[in-house]
Amino acid sequence: DSFFETYEQLDEISKTTLASYAKKATRSAAVHRKIAADFEHMADKSRKPSMKASATSLSDKWKDKYRNRLKNIDKAVDRLSK
């Protein structure tokens, strides 16, 4: 029974921690979006197919990081509003 009580406590994060995460993650998401846009622009301007493919791949990677960060920010905000 003590194990389950400990487990439940681990699932709870303070509102201060969530607010701090949301604030820092918002800045991080903006950086990820900018990096993705830069690689996308580089891919558009590139003449070499290998460079275009590489820049597109990196752009997709950073877009995924951006989307994931936004999803987690939404989760944090939802938890804060409870």
Side-chain angles (χ1 to χ4, degrees), residues 1 6-8 12 14-15 17 20 27 42 48-49 52 57-59 62 64 69 73-74 77-78 80:
D1 194 37
T6 304
Y7 177 76
E8 287 176 11
E12 298 172 9
S14 72
K15 297 228 184 236
T17 303
S20 175
R27 282 188 234 124
M42 189 185 302
K48 291 174 70 177
K52 186 179 204 83
S57 173
L58 286 169
S59 175
W62 284 98
D64 288 342
R69 182 69 75 182
I73 290 170
D74 286 344
V77 170
D78 287 346
L80 276 172

Side-chain angles (χ1 to χ4, degrees), residues 1 3 27 29 32 38 43 50 52 55 61 69 71 73 75 77:
D1 194 37
F3 171 76
R27 282 188 234 124
H32 289 175
D38 288 348
S50 61
K52 186 179 204 83
K61 174 185 168 185
R69 182 69 75 182
K71 182 178 70 172
I73 290 170
K75 285 181 186 179
V77 170

